[in-house]
Amino acid sequence: MSMFLDTAKISVKAGKGGDGMVAFRREKYVPDGGPWGGDGGKGGSVVFQVDEGLRTLMDFRYNRKFKAQAGEKGMTKGMHGRGAQDLVIRVPQGTTVRDAETGKVLTDLVEHGQEFVVARGGRGGRGNIRFATPKNPAPEIAENGEPGEERELQLELKILADVGLVGFPSVGKSTLLSVVSAAKPKIGAYHFTTIVPNLGMVRTKSGDSFAMADLPGLIEGASQGVGLGTQFLRHIERTRVILHVIDMSASEGRDPYEDYLAINKELETYNLRLMERPQIIVANKMDMPEAEDNLALFKEQLAANYDEFDDLPQIFPISGIAHQGLDALLEATADLLAKTDEFLLYNEEEMLDEEAYYGFTEDQRPFDISRDDDAAWVLSGEKLERLFVMTNMERDESIMKFARQLRGMGVDEALRECGAKDGDTVRIGNFEFEFVD
C-alpha cells in the first residue's frame, strides 16, 4: 500500500467552556457573605500547524476525529477554572483546508510554522459573582460554558514545487528527475511506474536551485478521473513553470504532436488557469532512431498552429538516459522561474469569509419558528440554541433570566404573530415549556 495520501476528510470539535459556579461566602464572623462563584475556563481550540517534515496526509487515514479538551468549571472564592490547552494538529506544507459542507476554502497552509484556528474553543460560563447587583446582591445565577465550534473539513495536499514535469506515461519524466536531482523515483518499463508525486531539488551549474516534481503520467480523460486522474492534476496547480516531456522517438507508437495537444487539453479541462503557466517543451529520447526526423516534423506542426504574433514555446532536445542537453534545459528553466511570479490559486469567491465562518453576520435572524407534527412550536437558530445551552436549567433564577432574554429577542411577539395561544407547547431541542400569553 502506498504511504502517500493527498486527500482526507476529518471532523474537528473544539472544547466546551467550563461552567460558571453558584457559590456563596460562608465564613465565621462574616455575616451575609455575598456571591463567590467563579467563571469557567475557556475550552481548547483546534489549530492546524504546518510542519515541513511531513510529506503526506497519511496520519489522517485512520484518525479522522479530533476533539479538544473542555475548560475547567469555576470554583469558590471567585476563582476561575483553568483554560484548556489548544489541540495542535500538524499538517504538511501545501495543505488546503476546505469546509466540507460548503466546499469553500478556509485557508491555504504553505509556510513552515504557519497556524490557523479551524475550530474555536467556547468561552467559560460566568459565575454568580458576575451577576450581583444592588437589586439582587445574592444571585443564584451562573452560566454554563459555551459549546466549542464543530466542523467537517476536507483536506487536500498540493505539493510545493516550482517546476512540474507533465507528459504521457513512460516518456522519461522519472528518469529526468533522477539524473538532475538526488531524488530516486521508481523507474520501470511499464505505464504508471510513478503512482505518487516525487520531489527533488535541482541545482544548476550557475548556482540557481529550484524544486522539481515528477508527477504521475497523464492519459486522455484524466481531468474526468480516468487513470490516475485528478490525483495527479491537483499537484500541478502550485507550480510556476511546466516542463512538458514528450517522447520524440515515438517508441510507444504515438504521435509526439498529438501527445502534446492531448496533455494540454487535459490541463485546460481540469483548470483553465493552468494554461497561464509558461511551458518548456522537453524533447526526450533524442538518442533513439527517428527522433531527429520526428523533432523536425514536430517543430513544423507547432509553428503552423501558432499565430505570427505569439511566442513559440522553447524546445530543448535531450536524452535523460545519455545525460545529453540537460544543462541548457536547467539553465533555461531557472531563467524562466526568475521572471515568473506565483499564481493565485483561489479567488475571493472560493474563499470562505472568516467572519461568516464563525457566525459573525450582522443581519442574521437570531431564531426560526416551525411547527412539529404534534402541533408544538419549535424554536431553532444558532444564537438562540447557544443561549439555551449556556443556561443552567437547574436554577429557577437562570430559567427566569433565559425567559427575559427570549422576550428581548422578540420570541414572544413572533410566536403570537404565528398564531401561538396560551398553553401551547414550545420546544427548544428536548426542552419543552408552555407559552404564556
Side-chain angles (χ1 to χ4, degrees), residues 246-389:
I246 299 173
D247 177 6
M248 206 53 69
S249 70
S251 59
E252 296 278 331
R254 297 191 306 265
D255 179 77
Y257 186 68
E258 292 298 326
D259 283 3
Y260 172 75
L261 295 179
I263 294 297
N264 279 339
K265 180 67 175 176
E266 293 305 320
L267 296 178
E268 182 180 1
T269 304
Y270 176 73
N271 187 343
L272 184 60
R273 283 183 287 180
L274 290 179
M275 301 310 295
E276 300 172 1
R277 288 150 178 75
Q279 282 192 21
I280 293 178
I281 298 174
V282 182
N284 195 20
K285 304 187 181 182
M286 291 303 295
D287 56 327
M288 300 288 286
E290 301 183 3
E292 291 290 348
D293 294 339
N294 289 337
L295 178 58
L297 178 60
F298 180 87
K299 289 180 177 179
E300 291 178 10
Q301 292 172 314
L302 187 66
N305 285 275
Y306 269 78
D307 296 331
E308 57 180 334
F309 301 106
D310 292 335
D311 293 328
L312 285 171
Q314 299 179 77
I315 302 176
F316 286 85
I318 70 160
S319 171
I321 292 180
H323 295 204
Q324 297 173 357
L326 299 179
D327 290 340
L329 170 63
L330 298 181
E331 293 292 349
T333 303
D335 292 342
L336 191 54
L337 276 172
K339 55 187 179 184
T340 303
D341 296 327
E342 292 187 7
F343 292 88
L344 185 67
L345 278 187
Y346 307 105
N347 55 37
E348 291 184 2
E349 294 179 355
E350 295 174 288
M351 299 293 291
L352 183 64
D353 181 66
E354 189 174 351
E355 291 187 356
Y357 178 54
Y358 287 110
F360 301 137
T361 50
E362 292 183 2
D363 299 327
Q364 183 181 17
R365 188 182 179 186
F367 62 90
D368 290 307
I369 299 176
S370 58
R371 202 144 196 197
D372 242 342
D373 295 337
D374 59 356
W377 299 96
V378 179
L379 299 176
S380 60
E382 184 179 350
K383 184 176 179 180
L384 183 144
E385 291 172 4
R386 187 174 297 268
L387 192 65
F388 169 72
V389 170

Side-chain angles (χ1 to χ4, degrees), residues 396-416:
D396 290 341
E397 278 195 46
S398 294
I399 295 174
M400 295 302 295
K401 178 174 176 286
F402 179 61
R404 291 193 298 271
Q405 288 171 322
L406 291 185
R407 192 173 300 114
M409 291 169 64
V411 172
D412 288 9
E413 186 177 346
L415 283 170
R416 289 190 191 95

